[in-house]
Amino acid sequence: MKLKPLADKVVLKRLEAEEKTKSGILLAPAAQEKPEVYEVVAVGPGGVVDGNEIKMEVKAGDRILTGKYTGTTVKVEDEEYTIVRQGDILAVIE
C-alpha cells in the first residue's frame, strides 16, 4: 500500500533519535528525545485550498522541522507516518 497525499498535505517519516550525546554518552531509549525532524516521503499536488492558491515548496527527500504536536500519525505496513499540511512545516533543513 502506498500513501498519496491530496491538496496541500505532506507525508512524513520521523528520523531516528540520537542514541548518544555530542560528548559520546549513550542514552537509554527512554531518555532519548524524539526529534521533530522528518523526511518528506510524498507531497500532494497543491492547488486551491480554502480559496487560496497553494504552491508546494517541499519535495520528497527533504528533511524538515515541524511543531511538536503537529499532524496525524498513521501506520501502514508496519511503518509509521505523519501527515501534515504544508503550512504546519516550520523549516526545511539544508
Side-chain angles (χ1 to χ4, degrees):
M1 180 191 293
K2 186 177 176 183
L3 293 174
K4 181 181 175 185
L6 303 175
D8 67 335
K9 303 294 190 294
V10 180
V11 179
L12 308 172
K13 185 173 181 182
R14 183 185 296 271
L15 296 177
E16 296 297 320
E18 292 293 323
E19 294 182 7
K20 61 182 174 178
T21 65
K22 289 182 181 181
S23 60
I25 299 172
L26 293 175
L27 298 171
Q32 296 172 6
E33 281 189 39
K34 289 189 176 181
E36 308 313 320
V37 176
Y38 294 86
E39 179 179 353
V40 176
V41 176
V43 178
V48 178
V49 177
D50 298 328
N52 298 316
E53 182 70 28
I54 303 293
K55 179 181 175 230
M56 300 307 283
E57 301 289 332
V58 295
K59 62 187 179 309
D62 282 351
R63 290 179 39 169
I64 58 96
L65 181 66
T66 67
K68 192 165 188 87
Y69 302 106
T70 302
T72 301
T73 302
V74 295
K75 195 168 192 175
V76 177
E77 297 177 357
D78 296 327
E79 290 286 338
E80 197 169 281
Y81 299 98
T82 301
I83 301 173
V84 300
R85 288 180 173 256
Q86 179 176 252
D88 294 333
I89 296 173
L90 300 175
V92 175
I93 301 170
E94 295 181 341

